[in-house]
Amino acid sequence: MTKQTEPAIHPFLYNNEWKESATGNTVDIYSPDNGNLVGSVPAMSQDEVNDAVNLTADVQENWAATEVHERSDLLHRWADELDSMADEIGAMIQLEVGKTFSSAKSEVKRTAQLIRHTAEEGLRTHGSFIQGDAFPGASRSTKAMVQKVPHGVVLAISPFNYPVNLAASKIAPALVTGNTVVFKPATQGAISGILMVKALVKAGLPKGVLNIVTGRGSVIGDFVVTHDKLDMITFTGGTATGQHIAKQASMIPVVLELGGKDPAIVLSDADLKKAAKEIVGGAFSYSGQRCTAIKRVMVMNDVADELAEEIRSHVANLKVGYSTDDADIIPMIDQKSADFVTALIDDAKAKGATVVHTGAHEKNLLSPTVLDHVTEDMDVAWEEQFGPVLPIMRVESELEAIDLEKRNEYGLQASIFTTDMETAFTLSERMNVGTVQINGKTSRGPDHFPFLGVKNSGQGVQGIGRSIDSMLRDKVIVLNL
Ligand code: NAP
Ligand code: G3P
């Protein structure tokens, strides 16, 4: 489906004008599939980033003064434009981040649905009214009107793996609540993010309400994050980057969705065929480059052999190739990430892990690898692999699995496979994670469910309703009658 377009510079949006950097500097983006140049984005200077944030701040009051139904209508029109550009944007996602075309297009369609749902939820945002007489010494004649008001200027920073969806899931709730937005896309994925914003401009985005900043996060990141006109930051990406941003941001609210090491805990009474299917889908989709990928299995000793064999048989059927082959396992985003995964596999093998399944590793295309008998001294037991390797750890008891889970630095999601619902709920309560999936793979959706990580997996909550909440603060007006 994908046709390689002529590599071009893709300008950033400033005041609804598409501009190149006055410096002439650009950042090149190469396809993970074949290393070809996909295109470039401007490497904006600090002055240009500064202008973008200032403009976003200048127009915020006017944007917040618009009626919420108008802002909601804009989102509906944006969703329609995205639907009509789904092939074009899907093709660019495929080129930039190496997803298959069908999964890239699904990302765009899912995003349109998310925006529509956000437009609807945004209409139903209300404050509250409190009477004073509940507190001793105050009376009913003192009344508080608690309004919900936007923070102001929101900086939205997205990761490479869902360059459209994880950008829009920040931008849409920000806009519908009256915030204006500075959008910093991941460099790998920036062109897809720019196309997504083209759809928003077509839908009637007023001038200055969203501006884009492009350039490497390592170069412009600290400057934009510490800009004094920012009122809130919403970020998805790696834990180290998120922690760095949180420190820099200091006093403004920051929502962070970070890494994970989601375990699948398989108990002796589980439906092993179903568990294996879910685990393989959860671990290897998009070659494991998902924060919510299942990143380790903890299985009871007495069913470990059978589960490992079920997992092996599913993994053996995964098609390894390129996004253009519609493969299940596609090249990793870059060579550095592939080298990291290879080092984890080598470390585990050297320390005694057994290889249940593997295959050829060529450049950044790694065949899926399943490791069994993984033990605590191996890096793959703890590090977020973000790639196509699945460690299996054998445990003696549920308590051992809970203990292993509790001692890891992440707390995004966990899956429990069992036919005993009472045990499932008991274990769920003991797990220090944002979400527990019972008899299903770890995953963010449906997109209106709350989505959060604890410990080093994040702070704050996303998911449509909660994302809207995060874009608002209380403003209290007290009537003293
Ligand atoms: P990343 O390297 O942390 O980058 C994420 C974003 O941060 C990119 O836009 C990046 O820009 C920007 N950035 C980098 N340094 C910055 C700085 N100093 N200041 C401001 N922005 C900066 O993450 P990634 O490689 O794109 O994604 C992989 C990681 O994200 C994994 O750990 C994964 O688990 C996590 N993730 C989590 C979730 C979740 O919802 N929990 C979802 C997706 C991904 P450049 O691209 O220009 O460097
Ligand atoms: O890594 C992106 C994260 O948000 C996962 O989303 O839908 O693949 O579970 P999903």
Side-chain angles (χ1 to χ4, degrees):
M1 179 67 209
T2 296
K3 177 162 75 65
Q4 177 86 50
T5 47
E6 202 54 37
I9 299 174
H10 294 262
F12 61 89
L13 185 74
Y14 175 83
N15 208 21
N16 278 14
E17 288 173 30
W18 294 99
K19 300 181 76 155
E20 292 185 19
S21 172
T23 64
N25 293 335
T26 55
V27 186
D28 291 338
I29 297 162
Y30 296 92
S31 155
D33 257 358
N34 52 26
N36 289 346
L37 182 65
V38 178
S40 313
V41 292
M44 289 170 68
S45 65
Q46 286 195 356
D47 282 348
E48 287 163 336
V49 172
N50 188 41
D51 289 347
V53 182
N54 283 333
L55 172 65
T56 316
D58 289 346
V59 302
Q60 195 272 327
E61 251 185 74
N62 280 345
W63 176 242
T66 58
E67 310 276 334
V68 65
H69 67 84
E70 292 171 30
R71 301 195 297 263
S72 173
D73 285 347
L74 172 68
L75 260 53
H76 278 292
R77 293 195 301 275
W78 183 21
D80 293 344
E81 293 293 346
L82 277 181
D83 271 336
S84 66
M85 290 173 72
D87 282 349
E88 182 189 356
I89 301 177
M92 183 50 74
I93 294 175
Q94 179 177 19
L95 285 174
E96 269 195 295
V97 305
K99 285 187 185 182
T100 61
F101 179 71
S102 62
S103 110
K105 188 170 171 181
S106 299
E107 177 177 338
V108 182
K109 293 282 189 187
R110 173 182 180 181
T111 304
Q113 287 167 342
L114 179 150
I115 293 170
R116 285 195 187 93
H117 202 106
T118 306
E120 295 297 321
E121 280 297 301
L123 293 174
R124 293 185 252 288
T125 305
H126 304 290
S128 57
F129 186 83
I130 308 173
Q131 305 216 105
D133 60 343
F135 200 82
S139 77
R140 198 170 294 181
S141 60
T142 302
K143 300 167 190 298
M145 284 194 297
V146 186
Q147 292 178 285
K148 291 286 176 189
V149 297
H151 292 293
V153 177
V154 170
L155 172 64
I157 307 179
S158 51
F160 79 82
N161 63 344
Y162 282 91
V164 167
N165 187 273
L166 286 174
S169 63
K170 298 165 174 50
I171 293 168
L175 292 181
V176 81
T177 47
N179 295 278
T180 50
V181 176
V182 177
F183 170 39
K184 156 72 185 90
T187 297
Q188 193 92 34
I191 306 173
S192 308
I194 286 168
L195 288 177
M196 176 199 70
V197 173
K198 283 199 169 149
L200 179 58
V201 174
K202 278 195 207 167
L205 176 77
K207 282 185 177 179
V209 165
L210 178 143
N211 299 288
I212 301 180
V213 299
T214 54
R216 293 224 176 268
S218 52
V219 177
I220 58 167
D222 286 358
F223 180 77
V224 66
V225 162
T226 54
H227 198 290
D228 61 4
K229 295 269 175 72
L230 290 186
D231 300 297
M232 191 260 184
I233 299 174
T234 170
F235 169 86
T236 299
T239 293
T241 318
Q243 286 172 330
H244 176 74
I245 288 173
K247 281 188 193 124
Q248 300 280 315
S250 181
M251 291 289 286
I252 61 171
V254 180
V255 171
L256 302 170
E257 295 294 345
L258 308 176
K261 188 73 183 170
D262 298 359
I265 298 176
V266 184
L267 304 187
S268 305
D269 65 353
D271 174 343
L272 296 182
K273 285 196 188 322
K274 179 178 181 194
K277 186 163 178 272
E278 291 288 314
I279 287 168
V280 171
F284 290 104
S285 113
Y286 189 39
S287 289
Q289 299 174 116
R290 295 165 53 247
C291 57
T292 50
I294 287 179
K295 297 199 177 105
R296 51 184 180 165
V297 175
M298 298 171 193
V299 57
M300 293 300 147
N301 256 325
D302 59 341
V303 291
D305 287 343
E306 195 180 339
L307 182 77
E309 173 50 28
E310 289 289 344
I311 289 176
R312 190 207 58 74
S313 69
H314 282 287
V315 173
N317 286 327
L318 294 176
K319 180 174 171 185
V320 181
Y322 295 88
S323 73
T324 40
D325 306 329
D326 220 13
D328 301 305
I329 301 293
I330 44 79
M332 293 191 63
I333 194 71
D334 55 30
Q335 191 60 48
K336 191 172 160 216
S337 309
D339 290 345
F340 176 69
V341 172
T342 306
L344 290 177
I345 296 169
D346 290 345
D347 171 76
K349 286 197 312 199
K351 290 173 180 163
T354 55
V355 178
V356 174
H357 180 90
T358 193
H361 289 191
E362 281 172 27
K363 295 186 185 165
N364 58 333
L365 176 56
L366 308 186
S367 288
T369 299
V370 181
L371 300 169
D372 198 356
H373 299 281
V374 167
T375 47
E376 289 193 35
D377 56 327
M378 301 174 190
D379 293 341
V380 76
W382 307 103
E383 300 260 358
E384 184 190 33
Q385 60 267 47
F386 220 64
V389 55
L390 179 64
I392 300 176
M393 305 179 79
R394 296 175 174 229
V395 292
E396 283 295 343
S397 67
E398 294 157 11
L399 286 182
E400 193 184 338
I402 295 286
D403 177 59
L404 267 178
E405 187 281 312
K406 283 206 163 151
R407 283 190 286 119
N408 98 98
E409 66 171 297
Y410 297 106
L412 192 57
Q413 296 205 351
S415 291
I416 297 173
F417 293 92
T418 175
T419 47
D420 180 346
M421 282 305 110
E422 203 176 323
T423 306
F425 277 98
T426 307
L427 294 187
S428 300
E429 277 166 24
R430 300 195 60 183
M431 243 103 51
N432 195 12
V433 296
T435 304
V436 179
Q437 305 270 355
I438 298 173
N439 292 326
K441 58 182 173 247
T442 46
S443 141
R444 174 172 43 134
D447 290 341
H448 64 304
F449 284 5
F451 177 59
L452 69 154
V454 298
K455 300 196 280 182
N456 283 349
S457 290
Q459 71 180 27
V461 189
Q462 297 199 61
I464 291 169
R466 298 292 201 280
S467 293
I468 289 175
D469 292 345
S470 76
M471 297 293 169
L472 293 163
R473 66 175 175 83
D474 286 345
K475 169 84 174 276
V476 186
I477 298 176
V478 179
L479 293 173
N480 297 284
L481 299 173

